Amino acid sequence: MSSLPGNAVVAQSGGPTAVINSSACGVIEEALRHRDAITGLFGANNGILGIVQEDLFDLAAESSDAVALLRSTPSSAIGSCRYKLGDLSKDQEKYERLLAVFAAHNIRYFFYVGGNDSMDTADKVNKLAGQKKYDLRVIGIAKTIDNDLVGTDHCPGYGSVAKYLATSVMEAGRDTEAMYTFDPVTITEAMGRNTGWIAAATGLAKRGPDEAPNLIYVPEIPFSEQRFLDDVREVHRRLGRCFVVVSEGIKNAQGEYVSAGAGTDSFGHRQLGGVADYLRQLVTRETGLKARYNKLDTCQRNGIHFASKTDSDEAYRCGQEAVGQALAGATGRMVNLKRVSRQPYRCEPGLVALAEVANGVRCLPREYMDTAGTGISEAMREYAGPLLLGEVPIRVGADGLPVFTRFHRRPIPRKLPPFVGK
Amino acid sequence: MSSLPGNAVVAQSGGPTAVINSSACGVIEEALRHRDAITGLFGANNGILGIVQEDLFDLAAESSDAVALLRSTPSSAIGSCRYKLGDLSKDQEKYERLLAVFAAHNIRYFFYVGGNDSMDTADKVNKLAGQKKYDLRVIGIAKTIDNDLVGTDHCPGYGSVAKYLATSVMEAGRDTEAMYTFDPVTITEAMGRNTGWIAAATGLAKRGPDEAPNLIYVPEIPFSEQRFLDDVREVHRRLGRCFVVVSEGIKNAQGEYVSAGAGTDSFGHRQLGGVADYLRQLVTRETGLKARYNKLDTCQRNGIHFASKTDSDEAYRCGQEAVGQALAGATGRMVNLKRVSRQPYRCEPGLVALAEVANGVRCLPREYMDTAGTGISEAMREYAGPLLLGEVPIRVGADGLPVFTRFHRRPIPRKLPPFVGK
């Protein structure tokens, strides 16, 4: 492949994960080993927005320790955003701006760590660069706790949220066991707006038939309030308690979000979100059982203090692979993970076309849940179990709390007028 | 002191903590070293309720490994409840039932791990035993994440919830830093119905002036919605984001719980709880800023996977001390912690009268907060900082998840008719 000397930019976008910085670390450390080809290395403040706004900083000027510490720093240290670019026809101005920024800074490598919206953006940038004959190599790196990308065995970020949330369910489950005479029902809300991968992973916490979670509800299986109440009553009759995990995105038979029915808030507004709180109220009203709920929200996707080493190491290797593939000439591809061995578990990074990933959503297969649809099957255990193995070593300060990296963010001087589009 | 051969019972009551089992472990392991005096060792299922209902199991029959594993098992492995006993005059029947169960099983040692309600119960049992000339030694062991017991430097359980929640705030705080262009405001709800010890401890997460938490609200300082909105606006203007920690028990100037004003739920019922959700709605409505919330609820009090070793070791030593003091003849006392050195930090177990602990609540001193009342002072750092040090080593299974103890619970045969009181 032809050598292409120039600068590289790394951007992170969308919701953070515990290991998205491991991928960034893999990119940075690998890129710095190839300064002949990758002459400068920039980070984009606030994800793709930072490129649009020409708001870049010098990643090569950060200390090697600050970079190494990325592997135990949660969230998106380079910066993130939710900034959706639409079709090329509709948002052409923005795509051209991206290319203009790349050209102004001789950026020839674009490493984009994100979910399917991000892969869609990367794919369109790559295509526009081809049309405009601007020599650019665009490599995406899979990232999402939701685990809903197609074209990969699983997504970096998923194993860590699974480990953290399964552990939290084990711990809070012991609380419900001890306190059942007073607080018999606990409902834990898991992230996952469209898929049940995260909620289902908490099923790994259940080592015995009576352990938490007793019931799991995922968006892929239509939710019936009557059936749910019957399930809770049955578990409570048998054990005197019931621990439920519910995806934030469960929908009824009409395909409507259950949380959308959560009534009006204290200001009389229609309340979205809070499905666990809604179900807590439903249980108490319809069964008379006292219920409480846990909503770990952003804590679950940033739980580095008990993250999966398997996940973190894979995230790092995906970052390294992205650089290697770009240097070898690949573009318009996302680094994915291929399960090359099931026993013992082993995944290797590979490549998939961005376009293939961009518009798909991979749902939890029905066979990963049990017959009743409220617990996981052996197939799910085999699939997800290995992704939780090992613990990420974290740095703890003299105050007993984790130490995370903090970039200096030396700005790259702007060369273009401000972007006036919206 | 006179030797008093007989059986012992251990009970845990009230809300669990990450280290209440460490105290139980200290009691059990120490008691088993003195089988000459403590001839049998029973656990009470469901806390004090298990004694009332004569529902006991044989702790001496559990394996030494099951007992040792208590030190890394959260929640109350023996069992717990919320079962309030009132004045001797009102609930005399119940207190006499407790003594009847003790007498039927030759129980001469009562070790009770709990908060101030539990210490009140223990005190009254002790007094009634004295009146009835039943030779009994009653020792309480401080337990509460709330840290609101008087007569002790701090409560076992507090250091661990502080470490876990401060870590969670650091992690989720990084999420808000990365996502501020989309999700600028995050509100985390901390336990603490009447005191702000837990919320205030998250202030330890703040190593620099702009780090999370930006604002902390505690029940000891009257809450004004207007002031709160001004605070959020000011932080947001300065940083583009705002991370808030709020005690579930914050009250307005009239002394009413803010959460009690959270309007009606989706069934038209007045909604209690959910102060973070309420404030999230308030922020969005009044400032237009998008806001989200974390409610870790029972997860925070059971987070053994990043618990404080200092806390756990102190909890264990308090359990040991309880046995040693009882064997030496003490009764009607609670094991407390005395700070014998500030630099370096060192606490030693001591004794305080149960009656002294029973009816007090220790609030967060005003000087532990800063002048504005929304951050912590150096005095709070000095007080609480050392309680978070070290990490409890946990056992991790081949599946990458924690392994907790599971008792066999060999029942002690009942000797009395069922209790017919309520």
Side-chain angles (χ1 to χ4, degrees):
Chain A
M1 287 294 152
S2 59
S3 146
L4 175 64
N7 295 316
V9 67
V10 191
Q12 301 172 315
S13 272
T17 80
V19 306
I20 184 171
N21 288 331
S22 284
S23 291
C25 185
V27 171
I28 298 167
E29 292 187 342
E30 190 64 20
L32 293 177
R33 282 186 203 105
H34 298 91
R35 297 302 293 267
D36 51 330
I38 299 177
T39 47
L41 186 61
F42 308 150
N45 284 309
N46 307 322
I48 196 77
L49 205 57
I51 304 179
V52 172
Q53 297 173 341
E54 205 191 354
D55 187 6
L56 307 172
F57 69 99
D58 190 356
L59 275 172
E62 302 293 341
S63 74
S64 59
D65 186 63
V67 171
L69 198 50
L70 283 172
R71 293 183 79 163
S72 55
T73 298
S75 187
S76 307
I78 298 176
S80 193
C81 67
R82 290 194 195 279
Y83 182 78
K84 173 103 177 141
L85 282 91
D87 287 340
L88 263 176
S89 57
K90 182 177 149 276
D91 275 337
Q92 178 137 5
E93 194 187 17
K94 287 178 192 163
Y95 289 104
E96 291 190 348
R97 169 70 178 187
L98 292 175
L99 279 193
V101 172
F102 289 165
H105 293 274
N106 191 33
I107 289 166
R108 299 292 174 175
Y109 299 90
F110 174 33
F111 299 108
Y112 200 21
V113 197
N116 51 14
D117 280 351
S118 303
M119 295 310 131
D120 189 46
T121 300
D123 184 47
K124 285 169 178 149
V125 169
N126 185 58
K127 282 173 177 152
L128 190 64
Q131 287 170 28
K132 304 267 181 184
K133 312 275 185 226
Y134 180 78
D135 209 349
L136 181 69
R137 296 185 188 162
V138 179
I139 304 285
I141 299 151
K143 173 284 316 181
T144 170
I145 59 165
D146 289 348
N147 200 41
D148 59 357
L149 295 191
V150 298
T152 184
D153 178 81
H154 61 279
C155 300
Y158 176 58
S160 290
V161 70
K163 185 181 183 97
Y164 174 79
L165 210 59
T167 299
S168 297
V169 164
M170 290 181 74
E171 293 176 335
R174 289 297 180 114
D175 193 291
T176 308
E177 281 191 37
M179 296 297 286
Y180 72 95
T181 58
F182 186 79
D183 276 320
V185 178
T186 304
I187 301 172
T188 292
E189 185 170 315
M191 283 180 154
R193 199 68 188 148
N194 297 305
T195 61
W197 291 102
I198 300 174
T202 67
L204 297 167
K206 190 186 184 79
R207 291 205 187 95
D210 298 341
E211 293 196 344
N214 305 110
L215 298 167
I216 300 172
Y217 297 92
V218 297
E220 287 85 350
I221 299 177
F223 185 83
S224 146
E225 294 192 354
Q226 197 49 59
R227 163 90 193 288
F228 162 72
L229 290 167
D230 289 345
D231 291 346
V232 170
R233 279 192 195 98
E234 192 279 320
V235 173
H236 181 262
R237 196 177 303 122
R238 190 161 52 84
L239 302 175
R241 64 177 188 271
C242 186
F243 195 103
V244 178
V245 173
V246 59
S247 277
E248 60 179 342
I250 53 168
K251 302 184 186 86
N252 64 20
Q254 288 71 49
E256 299 156 345
Y257 285 115
V258 172
S259 57
T264 53
D265 66 19
S266 44
F267 307 110
H269 298 153
R270 190 179 164 88
Q271 190 172 12
L272 285 171
V275 67
D277 193 16
Y278 174 71
L279 295 180
R280 171 187 72 83
Q281 295 168 34
L282 183 71
V283 165
T284 300
R285 172 173 167 249
E286 295 296 319
T287 70
L289 295 171
K290 199 157 170 282
R292 60 193 307 161
Y293 75 103
N294 293 306
K295 182 178 168 71
L296 287 87
D297 204 55
T298 56
C299 294
Q300 73 199 273
R301 67 186 183 194
N302 295 285
I304 192 69
H305 67 275
F306 201 66
S308 160
K309 187 165 191 306
T310 299
D311 185 32
S312 175
D313 290 350
E314 287 176 349
Y316 182 85
R317 288 183 63 207
C318 287
Q320 281 188 308
E321 181 75 9
V323 173
Q325 292 288 357
L327 290 174
T331 189
R333 299 286 181 274
M334 183 190 81
V335 178
N336 64 358
L337 286 164
K338 291 176 180 167
R339 196 173 299 218
V340 294
S341 166
R342 293 168 69 132
Q343 284 280 2
Y345 165 85
R346 200 157 59 84
C347 265
E348 293 289 349
L351 287 183
V352 58
L354 285 169
E356 195 179 311
V357 179
N359 297 306
V361 169
R362 190 174 56 138
C363 290
L364 184 75
R366 181 62 184 83
E367 64 268 24
Y368 280 14
M369 296 295 284
D370 62 14
T371 315
T374 53
I376 63 170
S377 68
E378 202 47 46
M380 174 65 185
R381 286 191 177 270
E382 277 176 29
Y383 167 78
L387 313 183
L388 278 64
L389 297 183
E391 289 78 55
V392 173
I394 63 167
R395 196 180 292 180
V396 177
D399 57 2
L401 294 171
V403 176
F404 300 145
T405 205
R406 181 67 77 191
F407 283 150
H408 284 99
R409 297 183 181 274
R410 196 174 79 183
I412 301 294
R414 284 191 168 83
K415 300 187 176 185
L416 297 176
F419 180 58
V420 290
K422 58 171 185 125
Chain B
M1 286 293 155
S2 59
S3 145
L4 175 63
N7 295 315
V9 67
V10 191
Q12 300 172 316
S13 273
T17 80
V19 305
I20 184 171
N21 288 330
S22 284
S23 291
C25 185
V27 171
I28 297 167
E29 291 187 343
E30 189 65 20
L32 293 177
R33 283 187 201 105
H34 297 91
R35 298 302 294 266
D36 51 330
I38 298 177
T39 49
L41 185 61
F42 309 149
N45 284 308
N46 307 322
I48 196 80
L49 205 56
I51 304 180
V52 171
Q53 297 174 339
E54 205 191 354
D55 188 7
L56 308 173
F57 69 100
D58 189 357
L59 275 172
E62 302 293 342
S63 73
S64 58
D65 185 63
V67 171
L69 198 50
L70 283 172
R71 293 183 80 163
S72 55
T73 298
S75 185
S76 307
I78 299 176
S80 192
C81 67
R82 291 195 195 277
Y83 182 78
K84 174 103 176 139
L85 282 90
D87 287 341
L88 263 176
S89 57
K90 180 178 149 276
D91 276 336
Q92 177 136 8
E93 195 187 17
K94 287 177 191 163
Y95 289 104
E96 290 189 348
R97 169 70 177 189
L98 292 173
L99 279 194
V101 172
F102 289 165
H105 293 273
N106 192 33
I107 289 165
R108 299 294 175 173
Y109 300 91
F110 175 32
F111 300 108
Y112 200 21
V113 197
N116 52 14
D117 280 351
S118 303
M119 295 309 132
D120 189 46
T121 300
D123 185 48
K124 284 168 178 150
V125 169
N126 185 58
K127 281 173 178 152
L128 190 64
Q131 285 169 28
K132 304 269 181 183
K133 312 277 183 225
Y134 180 78
D135 210 348
L136 180 71
R137 295 184 188 163
V138 179
I139 304 286
I141 300 151
K143 174 283 317 181
T144 171
I145 59 166
D146 289 346
N147 201 41
D148 60 356
L149 296 191
V150 299
T152 185
D153 178 81
H154 61 278
C155 300
Y158 176 59
S160 289
V161 71
K163 186 182 183 96
Y164 174 79
L165 211 58
T167 299
S168 298
V169 164
M170 290 180 75
E171 293 176 336
R174 288 297 180 115
D175 194 292
T176 308
E177 279 190 39
M179 296 296 286
Y180 73 95
T181 57
F182 186 78
D183 276 320
V185 178
T186 304
I187 302 172
T188 292
E189 184 170 315
M191 283 182 154
R193 200 68 189 148
N194 297 304
T195 61
W197 290 103
I198 299 174
T202 66
L204 296 167
K206 191 186 184 79
R207 292 206 186 94
D210 298 341
E211 294 197 342
N214 306 110
L215 299 167
I216 300 172
Y217 298 92
V218 297
E220 287 86 349
I221 299 177
F223 185 83
S224 147
E225 293 192 354
Q226 197 49 59
R227 164 91 193 287
F228 162 72
L229 290 167
D230 289 345
D231 291 345
V232 170
R233 278 192 196 97
E234 192 278 321
V235 173
H236 180 263
R237 194 176 306 122
R238 189 161 53 85
L239 302 176
R241 64 177 188 270
C242 186
F243 195 103
V244 179
V245 173
V246 59
S247 277
E248 60 179 342
I250 52 167
K251 300 184 186 89
N252 64 19
Q254 288 72 49
E256 300 156 345
Y257 285 115
V258 172
S259 57
T264 53
D265 64 20
S266 43
F267 308 110
H269 298 154
R270 191 179 163 87
Q271 191 173 11
L272 285 172
V275 67
D277 193 16
Y278 174 72
L279 295 181
R280 171 186 72 83
Q281 294 168 34
L282 183 71
V283 165
T284 300
R285 173 173 167 249
E286 295 296 319
T287 71
L289 295 171
K290 199 157 170 282
R292 58 193 308 162
Y293 76 102
N294 292 306
K295 182 179 167 71
L296 288 88
D297 204 54
T298 57
C299 294
Q300 74 199 273
R301 68 185 182 195
N302 295 286
I304 192 70
H305 66 275
F306 203 65
S308 160
K309 186 165 193 305
T310 299
D311 185 31
S312 175
D313 289 351
E314 287 177 348
Y316 182 84
R317 289 183 64 207
C318 287
Q320 282 188 308
E321 181 77 7
V323 173
Q325 292 288 356
L327 290 173
T331 190
R333 298 286 181 274
M334 183 189 83
V335 178
N336 64 357
L337 287 164
K338 291 176 182 168
R339 197 172 298 217
V340 294
S341 165
R342 293 170 69 134
Q343 285 280 3
Y345 165 85
R346 201 158 59 83
C347 265
E348 293 289 348
L351 288 183
V352 58
L354 286 169
E356 195 180 312
V357 180
N359 297 307
V361 169
R362 190 175 56 138
C363 290
L364 184 75
R366 181 63 184 85
E367 64 267 25
Y368 279 15
M369 297 296 284
D370 62 13
T371 315
T374 53
I376 63 170
S377 67
E378 204 46 46
M380 175 64 185
R381 286 191 177 269
E382 277 175 30
Y383 167 78
L387 313 183
L388 278 65
L389 297 182
E391 290 78 53
V392 173
I394 63 166
R395 196 181 292 180
V396 177
D399 57 2
L401 294 171
V403 175
F404 300 146
T405 205
R406 182 65 78 189
F407 283 151
H408 284 99
R409 298 183 181 273
R410 196 174 80 182
I412 301 295
R414 285 191 167 83
K415 299 186 176 185
L416 296 176
F419 181 57
V420 290
K422 58 168 187 130

